[in-house]
Amino acid sequence: MDKLVIEGGKPLSGTIVIQGAKNAALPILAASLLAEGTITIDSVPHLLDIDVMLNILRELGCRAEHTGDTVVLDTTSAHTSHVPETLMKQMRSSIFLMGPLLSRFGEAEVYLPGGCAIGERKIDLHLQGLQALGAEIEEIGNRIICRAEKLQGADIHLTFPSVGATENIMMAAVLAEGRTTLSNAAREPEIQDLQRFLNAMGAKIMGAGTDTITIEGVKQLTPCRYKVIPDRIVAGTIMVAAAATRGGVTLQQTHPAHLSSLIHVLRRAGVQIVVDGDIIKVGSVARPKAVERIVTSPYPAFPTDLQSQVMVLLTLADGVSIMKETIFEGRLKHVDELSRMGADIRVDLNAAFIKGVPRLYGATVEATDLRAGAALVIAGLAAQGRTVVEQVHHIDRGYDKIESMLSRLGANISRYSPVPNN
Ligand code: UD1
């Protein structure tokens, strides 16, 4: 397994363009199955999760090439609705394939997905939505078989605004007969991106970005070329890293509106943020201030995917901050690792009480999931001395060569891969 070795204490500085959004690209790739022909998707980052999705699409019979940041996907010869268990287990987002497969083949056979170990991640809302559209669902052990001779539009209310369930239902409803109204839908920017992509292929979807999405079923979709939005979580990670190292970074071609909750939190922590069109400048010279209380919640509130990174900044703040995680129950595992670097954090149920310390110290730590791994990298950049982050494959699921990105901003960070045994 690869390791990252970081010599901490160097302020990040420079200018960066952020990669395309993983969480937008994944459903868009899955949704491509809804049209027959060649679809071109630009700004697709090179990530383990994207590789898994492309491998699944190849396994289903598609041709897929990822050259530079562009994926060219020919879906014409997709011929099976069965997603192999080994691939399905590598990534939770493979669950997105249920909607498109059901729509294209009248059947989807998948397995309970894998993904980050951040608590129980249920799929009941996905299944209820597909059932409401007319699917019959059979669960045999960890195998799930959905069948529908015909999908019929329906009024669906989500009891929680799940991102994945919203996307799965949108994809299944797009070619259904009649109108689907999805209420209490998730409002994340990635859902708006999926709407724009599907509409570019001829779908009739309105309302993404609000809590009610209306989908008028159409007869067929036609291939298109589409560019994925920038990754707000990667942008946020860099912004926090700049602040934690007391550096100055300019992010170009961003969508600042997607980051407003983070910008608000960082400003409360005393970090200087200037937004000018699609440019965000982050600067910090002073010790951050504690932020009394941050609660993760669905968009547009503070995202769970930036909780661990911001926690690192707060470990260095002047005073006590509270971070409450409400989306995933298992998402405070980085606390133990940060404590090994000198952080003073007490966890009570799903809340972390973070008493700021003047500095963190380098240590050998383990990435337990994708965002926790990113947080440990930030901690290593800010810490005094050398930090070794193990289990880097978690980070590779969501950050396109994180060490290159950070080196370009002046960080002293290198990757070490084990020498293969002959
Ligand atoms: C997506 C993101 C992930 C992010 C999360 C929350 C992608 C590929 N991943 O994940 O990075 O952390 O949104 O912003 O876009 N739930 C149920 N039943 C369901 C589905 C979800 O109870 O059928 C619960 C989950 O257990 C969790 C909460 O809803 O507690 C949020 O999950 P959801 O919004 O579905 O997240 P994902 O789509 O898995």
Side-chain angles (χ1 to χ4, degrees):
M1 295 287 176
D2 289 5
K3 292 175 186 178
L4 291 172
V5 178
I6 305 162
E7 301 293 344
K10 285 187 77 180
L12 292 192
S13 76
T15 298
I16 189 164
V17 177
I18 297 298
Q19 70 186 53
K22 164 180 92 79
N23 288 353
L26 288 169
I28 284 173
L29 287 170
S32 300
L33 275 174
L34 292 163
E36 281 189 42
T38 302
I39 292 139
T40 304
I41 306 174
D42 296 308
S43 215
V44 181
H46 285 268
L47 306 171
L48 281 183
D49 277 9
I50 297 287
D51 291 345
V52 174
M53 180 58 87
L54 293 178
N55 283 338
I56 293 176
L57 290 167
R58 289 183 188 111
E59 199 69 34
L60 297 172
C62 301
R63 288 195 5 218
E65 275 178 35
H66 195 176
T67 315
D69 284 346
T70 297
V71 168
V72 178
L73 190 63
D74 184 354
T75 63
T76 316
S77 45
H79 54 75
T80 171
S81 57
H82 175 106
V83 182
E85 184 173 11
T86 42
L87 288 171
M88 191 84 196
K89 287 218 145 141
Q90 289 174 27
M91 180 182 63
R92 179 181 163 81
S93 308
S94 39
I95 205 72
F96 294 138
L97 288 153
M98 269 197 308
L101 285 174
L102 191 60
S103 185
R104 177 149 174 181
F105 295 109
E107 189 179 275
E109 187 176 341
V110 301
Y111 294 81
L112 283 177
C116 270
I118 52 173
E120 194 192 352
R121 296 177 76 170
K122 293 183 281 186
I123 58 162
D124 53 329
L125 300 172
H126 298 243
L127 299 181
Q128 284 162 20
L130 298 179
Q131 269 169 329
L133 294 170
E136 283 183 13
I137 293 172
E138 202 182 341
E139 289 186 58
I140 310 167
N142 64 344
R143 192 154 64 111
I144 301 168
I145 304 163
C146 309
R147 286 192 194 89
E149 265 176 36
K150 150 172 121 101
L151 290 166
Q152 180 72 48
D155 288 345
I156 301 171
H157 178 82
L158 292 178
T159 49
F160 179 87
S162 154
V163 175
T166 300
E167 292 168 339
N168 227 339
I169 295 165
M170 279 167 78
M171 292 188 274
V174 111
L175 295 172
E177 207 172 287
R179 173 186 295 190
T180 296
T181 306
L182 183 56
S183 56
N184 199 27
R187 294 187 278 165
E188 270 68 2
E190 293 76 20
I191 290 164
Q192 298 176 49
D193 214 29
L194 179 62
Q195 169 178 288
R196 278 190 293 269
F197 171 67
L198 288 168
N199 285 348
M201 295 206 296
K204 287 192 180 155
I205 311 178
M206 281 187 340
T210 74
D211 64 2
T212 305
I213 300 176
T214 311
I215 304 140
E216 291 288 350
V218 294
K219 290 260 179 284
Q220 72 170 48
L221 298 181
T222 44
C224 71
R225 181 165 194 156
Y226 189 78
K227 184 172 179 192
V228 171
I229 52 170
D231 196 308
R232 64 194 166 101
I233 306 301
V234 174
T237 303
I238 294 294
M239 289 166 69
V240 177
T245 58
R246 309 210 185 148
V249 170
T250 300
L251 292 87
Q252 293 178 330
Q253 297 172 36
T254 65
H255 289 204
H258 297 170
L259 287 154
S260 52
S261 62
L262 175 71
I263 291 173
H264 179 66
V265 163
L266 291 179
R267 283 186 174 147
R268 277 164 68 201
V271 178
Q272 285 192 340
I273 313 255
V274 178
V275 176
D276 181 7
D278 67 355
I279 293 175
I280 303 176
K281 289 186 181 172
V282 187
S284 186
V285 281
R287 185 173 183 192
K289 291 185 276 192
V291 180
E292 209 176 297
R293 190 177 150 84
I294 305 171
V295 181
T296 64
S297 295
Y299 188 86
F302 187 80
T304 176
D305 283 354
L306 285 171
Q307 176 255 106
S308 54
Q309 299 91 315
V310 168
M311 192 182 293
V312 175
L313 183 70
L314 299 177
T315 64
L316 294 164
D318 186 9
V320 177
S321 310
I322 300 174
M323 176 73 85
K324 194 169 172 198
E325 171 60 54
T326 72
I327 305 292
F328 294 114
E329 75 274 17
R331 212 171 205 188
L332 291 171
K333 290 192 183 130
H334 44 281
V335 167
D336 288 346
E337 301 304 290
L338 290 174
S339 301
R340 287 146 55 71
M341 297 179 74
D344 184 349
I345 308 172
R346 180 174 62 81
V347 172
D348 186 8
L349 298 174
N350 61 346
F353 298 80
I354 307 142
K355 190 171 172 205
V357 292
R359 65 183 55 83
L360 297 173
Y361 297 93
T364 296
V365 288
E366 188 180 315
T368 48
D369 69 57
L370 165 54
R371 306 303 171 188
L376 294 174
V377 170
I378 297 174
L381 295 171
Q384 189 174 310
R386 172 178 294 192
T387 295
V388 179
V389 181
E390 297 184 326
Q391 306 291 335
V392 176
H393 61 99
H394 286 297
I395 302 174
D396 293 336
R397 290 190 39 230
Y399 295 82
D400 193 345
K401 295 184 211 72
I402 195 166
E403 68 281 12
S404 310
M405 178 170 69
L406 291 167
S407 298
R408 286 199 295 277
L409 295 174
N412 189 340
I413 177 169
S414 318
R415 177 184 292 255
Y416 290 89
S417 306
V419 181
N421 292 326
N422 287 324

